Amino acid sequence: MKKPMTAETAYLRISGKCALAELCTHDAKRLMTRWELEPRLQAEVIARLIKEKFIDENRYAHAFVRDKFRYNHWGASRIRMELLRRGIDDSIIEDALTEISDSDNISELRKLIEQKKKTVKAKSDYELRGKLIRFAMTKGFSCNDISKVIDTEGWNAGNDDF
């Protein structure tokens, strides 16, 4: 029979993970639930991790925004949705999203659409435009930003110049 995990063991394991990568309260609770640590002990461990600055929701949100924008090429809508899913407060999310400048956002979207355009098969400009819009929306970019990029003067299915 497996010995139940203690709060101290859970604390040590999670603090070790926090030393390697940012975790939020939601991530820590999910780990402890998987380890079958009872809820009362989970709350104690979370409180200690926050007190000792291993978990900081604000720091987590800023790191999450930078990483998902830079490496996963996600837009603000998708990042916001994922942070909300992890229980991050709206005010913290809004503050963290300031990491993405409007010019960086448009530039990243333009690169994504240019790359995707090379691989999309479409019978008409209309079909290509629709596929590119859907793709950009799944990445979490706003309709306004997508329109700015796709409707740039001179762009069409046969022209690679955005």
Side-chain angles (χ1 to χ4, degrees):
M1 185 169 170
K2 189 168 88 170
K3 183 179 173 185
M5 183 174 286
T6 65
E8 185 62 24
T9 305
Y11 169 79
L12 291 172
R13 286 180 71 181
I14 293 176
S15 63
K17 288 182 181 297
C18 288
L20 298 173
E22 291 291 341
L23 291 182
C24 63
T25 304
H26 176 266
D27 294 338
K29 284 181 182 178
R30 196 177 72 235
L31 283 170
M32 290 186 286
T33 299
R34 197 172 352 145
W35 298 335
E36 299 174 358
L37 190 66
E38 61 183 81
R40 179 184 57 81
L41 295 176
Q42 285 183 22
E44 288 175 18
V45 171
I46 294 290
R48 184 174 172 195
L49 288 164
I50 291 171
K51 180 180 173 222
E52 296 180 9
K53 303 277 189 227
F54 281 107
I55 291 179
D56 180 330
E57 302 282 309
N58 192 42
R59 190 177 64 215
Y60 174 83
H62 280 270
F64 189 90
V65 167
R66 279 190 307 273
D67 287 352
K68 296 305 178 186
F69 182 73
R70 189 173 300 138
Y71 301 115
N72 293 54
H73 311 290
W74 288 0
S77 299
R78 175 113 184 242
I79 293 169
R80 178 181 288 109
M81 181 182 63
E82 290 297 327
L83 286 170
L84 284 171
R85 201 170 63 78
R86 287 169 172 77
I88 306 297
D89 187 68
D90 264 335
S91 62
I92 293 173
I93 294 172
E94 290 308 315
D95 181 46
L97 285 172
T98 62
E99 297 261 341
I100 304 171
S101 73
D102 288 341
S103 61
D104 288 344
N105 191 49
I106 293 294
S107 175
E108 187 63 37
L109 177 58
R110 180 171 276 119
K111 282 190 275 186
L112 270 176
I113 288 176
E114 286 173 355
Q115 288 174 340
K116 185 67 174 176
K117 184 179 172 201
K118 293 174 186 173
T119 64
V120 172
K121 291 179 178 33
K123 295 175 183 149
S124 66
D125 287 352
Y126 179 79
E127 184 181 356
L128 175 63
R129 187 176 193 280
K131 287 181 177 186
L132 292 174
I133 290 170
R134 279 189 298 280
F135 168 74
M137 288 183 78
T138 63
K139 287 292 208 170
F141 290 92
S142 73
C143 291
N144 287 340
D145 290 343
I146 295 167
S147 291
K148 282 179 195 174
V149 171
I150 289 184
D151 293 339
T152 300
E153 190 175 328
W155 181 81
N156 62 41
N159 181 2
D160 285 339
D161 300 323
F162 274 89

